[in-house]
Each structure stands twice: as structure tokens, then as C-alpha cells.
Amino acid sequence: MKMSTYIIQRSKIEQVFNMNDYLTTVERAFILYGEGKMQMPPKEYLYFDKGDMRCMPVHIPSMKIAGVKNVTVHPNNKDMPVVMATITLIDPDTGYPLAIMDGTHITKMRTGAAGGIAAKYLSREDSEIATFIGTGDQARTQLKALLIARPRISKIIAYDVSKDSMKDFAQMVNNEYGLDAEYTLSVDEAAGKADIITTTTPVRTPIVKAEHIRKGVHINAIGADARGKQELDFEVLTQSRIIIDNWEQSSHSGEINVAVSKEVITQKDIYGDIGEIVTGQKPGRESSDQKTIFDSTGLAIQDITAAFEIYRRIIIDKRDLSKLVKIDLI
């Protein structure tokens, strides 16, 4: 049987898949996850002198697809991205690689979509003010998804250690979305005004303090992605309903990892995972005063469901095969 492997670059992906598509796909992925309809071991880490690589495989029998994302994180990169990824889609019936895809863009977008889905189920419906602590690339995809999930948001507050970055972010919000946007030199002020807080920083010393956040706030904790990273102080965690995506990953490298290692919280203190919330096994927010946190470490099923839908649109539906690289491996 003649089979080919396609190389799918970012430009092709952007032509067929937008943030609404990622939100739909990631929500479906969380449903599959909540129903246990996949084989997905926790991500594995390889450590280098200047960074690391994470390997994220999954098999989804109902979709007849398997795949793996390899993603590297090198914080000191100057002339190339800090985070880079490739995704390989596998035919589980034969083991043949169907496609090798740019995973860097997919990672940004599906991570943003995960924050959007978490906000849909955990934040207050009347949320109007959203604060972004950290205003790099990931903040922009978080913003894009959040505004779809919570369309009543009318004001954005930005904070970053780089004044230029947060100024540019606020200007982008005003120009592209027509929303009121401001930036502040005080992280406490930024956190204290928000209905929804999104954190996307690499810090190892907590910057969001319990005494500065409102009742009823929802926090998407995105930045912690390695052991020792922590954006929220322990009191924020102990005062909030914590929803994770995966215990093994979150306790190892998510926002809760330091608190778990210091025995401030245990697995019993975790309310549930995002799959349980999205499938209705557990309710999300239950009062307007409740503080909620989504600890996002990223699941392979998010990447592979998105990658397969992109592959289907480009290759199976033959929307545009021009200029695609095709290789025959057997």
C-alpha cells in the first residue's frame, strides 16, 4: 500500500484553523480526557545544559489516531523562540507516520484555548475585567481565547517586568479589539482589580498574593511549566478551588508543584481535573464569591486532536495541497 508523509508548516495551519476551531477542539479533547477515552502517559522530560525537551504521546482510539509532540524550552534563546515543537501524527493501524507538523504555533494556540475553556466553566459569567500578568506571546493567545469565552470582558489590565512589553500589549488590545486597556507598574494593583487573572511568567518566587485578589476571582495559572516555578503564593492556593489538568504533570511541574513538594497541599486538596468539570462529573464554580484556579500544564490530547483536525482539513479534504512537502518513508 502506497503511503506518504506530509510536512505541514505553520503557514498552512493558519490558513485552515483559527482560535474558534482550537476552542472547539480543546473542549472536545477535555471531554475525551474526562471520559478516559485515550491512552496518555504523563509527559517525559529530558534535561539539557541550557533547557529541556518534553515528550508527549497519546493514542485516541475513537479518532483512530495517535501521535507525539516533542517540545523544547530554552529560556536563554535570543535569535529563536524559547519554546519550539514538532508534532508527528501516526496511523495506529500500521504505525506509519502520516504527518510531521509545526507544533510551535499549535502549542501556543491550544494553550490559549485551554485557558478559554477553563474560564468558560470556572469564571463568573459577569466577568468584565481581565488582568494579564506577563505579556509575551502566550498572553496574546490567552487573550484571544478569553475574549471569545467571556465576551462581556470590557477592560484589560497588563503587568510585566518589561514596561515596553506591557505598554505594547495594552496598545495591541486597544487597536485590535477596541477595548479599554491599561498597564501598571504594580503587580498587586493589576491582580487586585481583576475578575479573571491570567499568569504567563517564568518566575520562581510568587508574585500574586492572596491579600491582593478579589473574592470570586478566577485564575488561569499558565506560566509554571517546570519544577520550582511558582506564580501564586501558597495562600492563594489554599483559599481557592484548584482544578488541574493532570495530577502527575501538575504535581511535578505545574503551579502546584512547589506547594506539593513542601506539603502545603496534597492530592486531597485538589478539587478535580478539567475533564471532570467539562464532562459534568463535578460542578465548576458554585458561588459568585468562590476563588478558582486552573493549573494548566498541557495535555498531549490537546495537541493531537488539534493536529489531526488540521491534517484532515488539509490532506483528507484536499483543501490546498500546493507547495506541501511529501516524503515516502517506505
Side-chain angles (χ1 to χ4, degrees):
M1 179 174 63
K2 179 69 172 178
M3 297 186 73
S4 296
T5 303
Y6 289 88
I7 310 296
I8 303 177
Q9 63 269 46
R10 173 175 176 168
S11 60
K12 291 291 185 183
I13 293 170
E14 290 179 314
Q15 289 173 19
V16 301
F17 225 63
N18 60 31
M19 182 53 82
N20 282 295
D21 296 318
Y22 282 100
L23 283 162
T24 300
T25 303
V26 167
E27 186 167 17
R28 187 184 310 128
F30 286 154
I31 291 171
L32 291 169
Y33 177 58
E35 294 173 343
K37 294 181 177 179
M38 81 285 136
Q39 179 186 352
M40 185 179 68
K43 67 177 74 171
E44 289 286 347
Y45 283 68
L46 289 177
Y47 295 98
F48 311 131
D49 290 340
K50 297 182 179 180
D52 63 65
M53 182 175 81
R54 300 105 190 256
C55 179
M56 302 170 63
V58 67
H59 174 213
I60 312 165
S62 62
M63 296 178 66
K64 298 183 179 179
I65 193 66
V68 61
K69 182 176 81 172
N70 290 312
V71 54
T72 58
V73 180
H74 282 63
N76 297 321
N77 280 358
K78 301 299 182 185
D79 299 323
M80 59 182 65
V82 169
V83 177
M84 293 179 282
T86 56
I87 294 173
T88 304
L89 290 181
I90 303 293
D91 176 2
D93 289 336
T94 63
Y96 192 86
L98 301 172
I100 301 169
M101 307 172 65
D102 167 63
T104 306
H105 179 67
I106 291 175
T107 298
K108 288 181 186 177
M109 296 293 281
R110 66 79 155 148
T111 305
I117 297 303
K120 173 182 174 180
Y121 284 89
L122 298 171
S123 68
R124 301 192 328 269
E125 290 187 16
D126 63 353
S127 296
E128 294 182 346
I129 301 175
T131 283
F132 288 80
I133 298 174
T135 54
D137 284 348
Q138 185 51 235
R140 294 175 183 244
T141 53
Q142 291 291 327
L143 171 69
K144 186 184 290 287
L146 184 60
L147 293 179
I148 296 171
R150 281 286 175 254
R152 291 182 62 175
I153 289 173
S154 58
K155 183 173 183 177
I156 302 296
I157 302 172
Y159 169 82
D160 196 282
V161 292
S162 167
K163 184 176 180 180
D164 288 341
S165 176
M166 61 183 172
K167 184 177 179 180
D168 289 346
F169 185 83
Q171 189 65 54
M172 177 275 296
V173 170
N174 186 263
N175 291 341
E176 294 188 17
Y177 298 99
L179 296 179
D180 181 22
E182 65 181 50
Y183 62 91
T184 174
L185 299 177
S186 168
V187 65
D188 297 338
E189 179 184 352
K193 293 180 177 180
D195 299 314
I196 299 173
I197 299 172
T198 301
T199 59
T200 58
T201 75
V203 299
R204 292 175 179 268
T205 300
I207 55 176
V208 177
K209 307 296 178 62
E211 63 264 31
H212 296 127
I213 61 175
R214 293 177 173 182
K215 291 181 180 179
V217 71
H218 170 67
I219 302 174
N220 280 331
I222 309 297
D225 62 353
R227 190 181 297 277
K229 289 187 176 182
Q230 181 186 7
E231 299 180 290
L232 316 179
D233 75 7
F234 291 150
E235 286 189 35
V236 175
L237 296 176
T238 57
Q239 294 176 9
S240 303
R241 172 170 284 187
I242 304 171
I243 292 85
I244 59 175
D245 51 16
N246 176 274
W247 168 253
E248 287 80 7
Q249 293 184 181
S250 295
S251 60
H252 173 269
S253 58
E255 178 58 40
I256 65 171
N257 84 89
V258 178
V260 170
S261 69
K262 294 181 180 294
E263 299 183 344
V264 175
I265 62 174
T266 69
Q267 190 168 5
K268 293 180 180 179
D269 298 306
I270 306 303
Y271 174 72
D273 66 52
I274 191 66
E276 293 175 305
I277 303 300
V278 173
T279 55
Q281 297 173 53
K282 292 182 178 180
R285 170 176 295 276
E286 293 186 279
S287 78
S288 60
D289 286 345
Q290 194 170 50
K291 298 174 183 177
T292 56
I293 296 169
F294 175 51
D295 181 359
S296 175
T297 60
L299 303 174
I301 195 168
Q302 297 168 236
D303 299 292
I304 303 308
T305 51
F308 179 67
E309 179 60 21
I310 291 164
Y311 172 84
R312 185 189 66 76
R313 293 186 185 191
I314 295 174
I315 306 302
I316 298 176
D317 293 351
K318 295 182 171 58
R319 290 195 184 183
D320 183 8
L321 300 182
S322 64
K323 298 183 180 178
L324 273 185
V325 176
K326 182 175 71 172
I327 55 177
D328 300 324
L329 297 179
I330 57 173

